[in-house]
Each structure stands twice: as structure tokens, then as C-alpha cells.
Amino acid sequence: MNDGRKPVRSAYKKGNICPICHKGVSGSGEHIRSIHGEEEFRRAVLEAKAGGMPDPEIGSRFGITFKQLEKLITETYGINISALGKPKKIKYWTPKDFKEETTTVWSFKQRGNWATHDGRYRGNWSPYIPRNVILKYSKPGDVVLDYFVGGGTTAVEAKLLGRRCIARDINPACVVLTLENLDFRLPETFLGKLSSWEPEVSVGDARDLSDLFDNSIDLICAHPPYAGIINYSSKVEGDLSKLGIEEFLQEMQKVAKESYRVLKPGRKCAILIGDTRKRKRVVPIGFQTINVFLEVGFKLKELVIKRQHNCKSTGFWYANSRKYNFLLLAHEYLPIFEKPKSPVPLGVSEEVADYGLLFPAMEKPVIKRKLDEFETMTVWILPEKDFEKRLNKNVIDRYSNGKGYSTISFVSHSKNETDITLGEGQNGRGLLFIKSPFLADNPSCPNIEFYLQRTKEFINRELPTISEGGFIVIQTQDVRIGEYVEPLAKRVVDMLAPNNLSLKEIIVVTQQNQNPKLQATSEYLKINHQYLLVYEKQILGGSGNEHP
Ligand SMILES: C[S@@+](CC[C@H](N)C(=O)[O-])C[C@H]1O[C@@H](n2cnc3c(N)ncnc32)[C@H](O)[C@@H]1O
């Protein structure tokens, strides 16, 4: 890419020196743009990128935002790829010290760089995800379908694990990249007695799988765009990453329907999806996408939380998280759906048990406000010891605004009491905190419906006593009922959607030092996360503190 002129990076290292005319300049990209023109500017940026200059440095040197840089790369190469160049040499074939995940919180500190995996394609998933999914829900020789294959991560894993794979993407440049990443021969003895399969890679639209037979696929393992949060292409027709959220969800209905049709009964469909923020709210694309798949007939076998590690928790972000009172999105959802073996009859009717559920609960925590103990991301990992206390402290510190709070707890199925313990100051309270420890005791379906109904009633009753801009925080958790998971956080979010409350945060809370080995033999993952759903009472006629 360099035609003999000084490489951009070394030129710039010496200060603001124009890489084209080598003159010292005060501004950044402005000089290149005005003196040498737009084409030269684009070329210089791409050269800097190819030369390995980090994105933030490119941003400050050339005066462009990260989004503009992504757009430039995507327009030029037809693909949103973060480092330009050929795949690296393979150093090892399998992840070191790999252990299958046994709980519902999956966290991979290193993204994984065995075989040809690397992070070149923007938004590709960690290969630990398809590896876990493939190992858990398929056997050698099974057909794994990834219709959003991107840079080929799933296809590479399927090949390494002796599974057949159908790999598709709407973007032809992704097919080229996937084939590049699949361009390796496994060592002779690598698969032992297993057969080796070369994935079938092609351009295709996930909304139309009409060339695949009904009930023909053993596992679907895919990672769609999260609506238009990251653009994966600039001109590719049918690319769902160009859509707004509503349209994206509509198109995902087609994907879900086709997935249901082609999957064999009893088999699984794993979809990784994350939320986004708009203004001061969380847009729960994750839960909305789960709804789309449930609506076509899938059942929820597991709801895994995938932690993100590339979020910044220090400096600018930390300061802004505190200043504007928002958390950095640090988790995604990996629902594992099952196509039931026989259609599940709708609306199974069960008698509602004669139970009450509420009991005054909250000890009033005496807590000194220490700002430096604030959690700044949407995943809170708290020590097992003092778990509840730490959780309460964090919630009250962050959301009571010094205006007082009250709590209610759903503690029992048998007590027929309803009460509220008020904390400091009842009028214009800053926070209503609703806890539900009874959910840990295997509640039944009617229990759950009753809990949801009462939660809604409470919120409607208490809302007028909460100050404008005050918060309602609901601590809840997914529960397993029979073979499937009842995703209660999603149910609450669905239930409260049309309300004058705005969803400020979906926080995942989990315990430190879990011992996953205890559950290693179970067919099911151990549910070891809870949620805090943070709702803000809308300020009439005002927008409050905006954050970036
Ligand atoms: C999040 S990326 C997938 C990344 C992939 N898991 C990996 O590891 O590289 C989403 C992919 O969906 C593709 N895509 C968008 N719309 C599509 C559609 N209608 N059909 C098939 N693929 C589509 C995009 O081109 C993009 O490569």
C-alpha cells in the first residue's frame, strides 16, 4: 500500500508532520484535506491503519471519530475489519486449559486466538462461545448452521470439532474472509477417529433458508448484528446491520421462522444478542429478540449472560458513569432455544395456589456513601459473603439520591402478608427497591404469575410517592420450571413497557468464586445470576442529565 513515501506511522510519531509533503502542521487531518484533497486524506488514514496505528491515535491525528474510521474502512474494503492483512500463522489448535462452561455466566478474559481465530473482523464473537455451544448441543458429524457467519468463527470451530457446517453471510467479503480463515489442514491425528468435514461456505440471507429442508439441521449457532449498532457493510443489500431497531426485529421474525422450520425437533438454536442505549434509556434488544424467537414456537432452554471484557472502567468512562449516573453496557445475552419435540400446548391452566407472598423485609442498611465503591458497569460481581448487603448498598448508594428509599420483599409463598418497610423520608422518596428472594425456592408457574401481577400493582400504587427522576429497582432472577427457563427479567421488562417509567439499566449481578465443578455433570447450566432492573420515573417536561 505504500508507494515509497514515508510510512504514515513513523512520520507522525515525530509530531504532526504531514505524511505527504512532510511539512510540520499544526492541525491534524485538516491540512491533508485542504492541501492534498479528500482522496489523499482517505488514503493516509487507511495507510495509518494498515501500519498498525491504534484507533485512538488515528482519531486524534486525523481528526476523525471511530465511527467515521469504521465507515471509511467498510466503504473501501466492503467489510468492517479492524486490522488489514492476512491471517496469522497457527501456533496452536485448541484453547489452552479449556473447560466447558457449567453456569449461566460466561466470561472469557482473552477472546481466544487458537487456530486462525483473531479479532480482525469487527464484532466477531469469541470462539469460546461457539466451542461451548457446539460441544454441549451437538455430536461429531452433526450439521451446525451459522447464517451470520461473519469472519467464520463458528465454521472454524465446527471444522476443529469434527462437525459439518453450513456457513453463510449476506456479505460476499465475509465469505472471502471465512474461506481465508478456513484455509488450513488439520494435523493428521488431530480428530482421532472422527471424520473431518470442510464447511460449506456461501453468500446467503438468513431470512431465506428455502434451499434447506425442514427438520434437517442439528444445531444453529449464530450472532446477528444488533440492529444498526455496528455497520458491517456499506452497500450490501439485505444487511440487517443497516436497519433501525423496529425494522430489525421485524426481519428477525423471518430468521426465527426459518430457523424453527429447518431445525430438527429437540435440537437447539443459540443466538448472541446485546442491548443498546438511546438517550438515557436502555433499549432491550436482547429481550425483544428473545420474544421474537419464543413467538415462533421455540422454548427457552438456557439464558446465558456473556460478560464483555473490552469495556473501559477507568478514566473518562468511570468519571462519566458517576457524573451522569449510567453504567457501561458490559453484558450480552446468549439464549439457547429448543425446538420442542412435540408442539407444546398453549395456555396450560393450573390452579393458583392459595398463598400470599409479601413480608416486610428490609433491614435498613447503615451505609456511608463512598463514591469510589460505585460499580460502573452493568455486570456486578459481588463476594459470596455479604452478597446481599453489598448489593443493597450499591443500589441505595447509586439510586436513592439521598432522598430516602423504601423496600419491599417477596419472601414467602405461604405468608399472607403484604407490607412495606419505609426507609428514610416517605414523601418524594428517591428509590423504591423491590426484592424477591422467594424466587430462589423453585416457584411454580402460578407463583410466578402472581408475583408479576403483584409487582405491577405495587409499582402502580407506589409510583405517585416516588419523586420525579427517582428510581424503582427490581431485583429478580430467571427460574427453571421443568425443562425450560422462565426469563423473569424479560417478563418484567415486557410487563412494564407501556408505563411512565423509563428503563435506565439492566444490571446483571453474580457471585464471585462460584465452584462450577459442582454442576459439571448436570444437563442444565447452574443459574448463577440475578438482575436489577432500574426504572426511572420520568421527569415531566424535562430531560434531566444527558450523558454522551
Ligand atoms: C455480528 S456479525 C457475525 C460475526 C461472527 N459471529 C464472527 O465471529 O465473525 C453479523 C454478521 O451478519 C451478517 N448479516 C447481516 N445481515 C444478514 C442477513 N440478512 N443474512 C445473513 N447475514 C447477514 C453481517 O454481514 C455480519 O457479518
Side-chain angles (χ1 to χ4, degrees), residues 57 73 102 107 124 196 244 258 305 307 357 459 475:
E57 201 178 330
I73 292 171
T102 54
S107 171
N124 60 0
S196 156
E258 279 292 76
I305 298 295
R307 277 184 67 200
L357 73 169
I459 289 174
Q475 182 181 0

Side-chain angles (χ1 to χ4, degrees), residues 271-419:
I271 301 288
L272 184 74
I273 186 85
D275 297 330
T276 188
R277 268 185 206 286
K278 254 190 180 173
R279 304 226 175 91
K280 292 173 75 191
R281 301 165 184 216
V282 172
V283 185
I285 305 177
F287 290 161
Q288 290 167 339
T289 305
I290 292 176
N291 281 339
V292 165
F293 279 75
L294 294 179
E295 275 156 20
V296 302
F298 279 111
K299 305 296 285 180
L300 191 62
K301 190 79 183 171
E302 302 285 357
L303 181 46
V304 172
I305 298 295
K306 153 77 178 41
R307 277 184 67 200
Q308 282 177 305
H309 284 279
N310 52 357
C311 313
K312 297 187 178 69
S313 60
T314 51
F316 171 83
W317 287 112
Y318 183 78
N320 277 294
S321 163
R322 284 171 48 171
K323 183 169 171 196
Y324 298 106
N325 198 7
F326 74 98
L327 300 169
L328 294 170
L329 294 178
H331 70 278
E332 295 160 292
Y333 307 88
L334 180 72
I336 315 274
F337 300 103
E338 182 178 282
K339 176 170 171 176
K341 285 205 183 85
S342 52
V344 179
L346 291 172
V348 181
S349 68
E350 271 184 75
E351 286 291 302
V352 176
D354 179 20
Y355 63 90
L357 73 169
L358 292 169
F359 199 70
M362 190 65 154
E363 70 289 358
K364 183 180 159 191
V366 181
I367 293 161
K368 273 197 193 144
R369 194 181 172 94
K370 278 192 189 165
L371 286 178
D372 57 356
E373 284 180 18
F374 264 24
E375 298 291 334
T376 57
M377 294 196 256
T378 56
V379 179
W380 295 2
I381 302 164
L382 305 177
E384 204 175 336
K385 185 172 172 285
D386 292 337
F387 178 82
E388 250 357 271
K389 215 169 157 187
R390 287 282 299 268
L391 185 148
N392 294 342
K393 172 177 161 43
N394 264 300
V395 169
I396 292 166
D397 273 0
R398 207 177 238 281
Y399 299 111
S400 70
N401 288 336
K403 287 186 182 160
Y405 58 88
S406 61
T407 62
I408 53 174
S409 283
F410 290 71
V411 290
S412 141
H413 307 176
S414 55
K415 295 259 178 7
N416 206 6
E417 292 183 56
T418 301
D419 205 351

Side-chain angles (χ1 to χ4, degrees), residues 79 111 121-127 130 146-154 168-171 174 177-178 204-207 222-226 232-233 236-242 255:
I79 188 167
R111 66 177 317 285
Y121 186 48
R122 269 278 289 158
N124 60 0
W125 58 2
S126 157
D146 185 347
Y147 37 56
F148 293 118
V149 80
T153 315
T154 309
R168 296 180 175 180
D169 199 284
I170 196 92
N171 187 349
C174 287
L177 183 63
T178 297
D205 190 332
R207 297 167 296 180
H223 178 200
Y226 305 166
Y232 288 100
S233 69
V236 176
E237 196 62 33
D239 178 353
L240 304 186
S241 75
K242 291 196 284 193
V255 178

Side-chain angles (χ1 to χ4, degrees), residues 28-73:
S28 44
E30 274 167 44
H31 162 85
I32 308 179
R33 268 197 164 119
S34 58
I35 304 296
H36 305 289
E38 189 62 27
E39 265 317 297
E40 284 293 339
F41 173 78
R42 290 164 72 94
R43 190 178 156 281
V45 172
L46 291 169
E47 275 192 17
K49 179 76 187 165
M53 188 183 282
D55 294 344
E57 201 178 330
I58 294 180
S60 64
R61 300 276 177 168
F62 291 93
I64 58 172
T65 63
F66 185 62
K67 275 249 170 216
Q68 289 166 333
L69 175 61
E70 273 195 333
K71 189 163 176 264
L72 175 57
I73 292 171

